[in-house]
Amino acid sequence: MSIPFGEIPGFPRTSVVGHAGRFVAGRLGDRNVLLQAGRYHVYEGHPGEIVAAPVRLAATVGVRFLLLTNAAGAVDPKLAPGDVVLLSDHLNFMFRSPLIGPVAPGETRFPDMTEPYDRELRVLAMEVARREGLPLTEGVYAAMTGPTFETAAEIRMLGRLGAHVVGMSTVPEVLVARALGLRCLGLSMVTNKGTGLSEEPLSHQDVVDVGERAGKKVGRILEGLLRSLPGAPSQSTGAK
């Protein structure tokens, strides 16, 4: 079953190339899966409640594991386009949260962020990557509002603060997911080197092209992970 965002009350259409903007529900093995094809971004001008709306809807229909993917630029000079990074933590340089305001139903006011990306799920992802023969390293994701790519000075700053990759998404969804008690895992597809680490100018089309290639690696990791998730097979999983 496939439902475009535009057909869901309160959900606007997506506006970014490469983001279809729809939910696809089905089964993968013995798991119920709700796939979110595309997402909303802060840089599109959406308020926090719209950016987080797909996560809240997913939780409402029974999703308990949230597996997030994104395209990211390399802050760590050792990373190259096509690499995949398992997120261990993040830096919120959007300086805003979709949790600001009245507490939404089912959410906690002060969610614990000791491990926003579930340790057990990260161990499982590493095991799957080893079985598949896929290189996978852990790293910290820095979230910026965009829509400009970062300057060379910003990339140097992020590196000194502990970031390995940088992007314009994911963190708002994780904040809401943790407030809802969802267990999260994040995978970044490195689509380009950050400004100042390469002489090549950055373009969104390059991000899309490299993301499609790296997406095959991510797909293999997610498929293996779904088979290894803890808990009853009937538990739902959301993938973005």
Side-chain angles (χ1 to χ4, degrees), residues 66-68 116-118 121 173-174 177-178 182-186:
L66 186 64
L67 312 180
L68 302 108
Y117 304 92
D118 189 278
L121 299 185
E173 293 102 311
V174 170
R178 294 303 302 132
L182 274 61
R183 298 174 65 179
C184 300
L185 179 121

Side-chain angles (χ1 to χ4, degrees), residues 75-76 78-79 83-90 114-127 129-130 134-142 162-165 184-188 190 221:
V75 175
D76 185 338
K78 294 190 294 291
L79 294 171
D83 288 345
V84 179
V85 177
L86 177 65
L87 303 187
S88 58
D89 209 336
H90 66 235
T114 304
E115 289 187 350
Y117 304 92
D118 189 278
R119 180 183 296 271
E120 184 180 4
L121 299 185
R122 283 156 42 205
V123 170
L124 289 174
M126 281 293 191
E127 291 175 353
R130 281 194 291 269
L134 296 172
L136 183 64
T137 59
E138 283 196 313
V140 175
Y141 178 86
H164 298 86
V165 289
C184 300
L185 179 121
L187 291 167
S188 284
V190 177
I221 294 171

Side-chain angles (χ1 to χ4, degrees), residues 28-29 31 67 128 131-132 216-229:
L28 184 59
R31 291 279 176 177
L67 312 180
V128 170
R131 288 200 305 267
E132 294 288 328
K216 296 178 181 178
K217 301 178 185 178
V218 169
R220 289 167 60 189
I221 294 171
L222 290 179
E223 186 173 355
L225 183 62
L226 284 171
R227 297 194 182 98
S228 306
L229 283 177

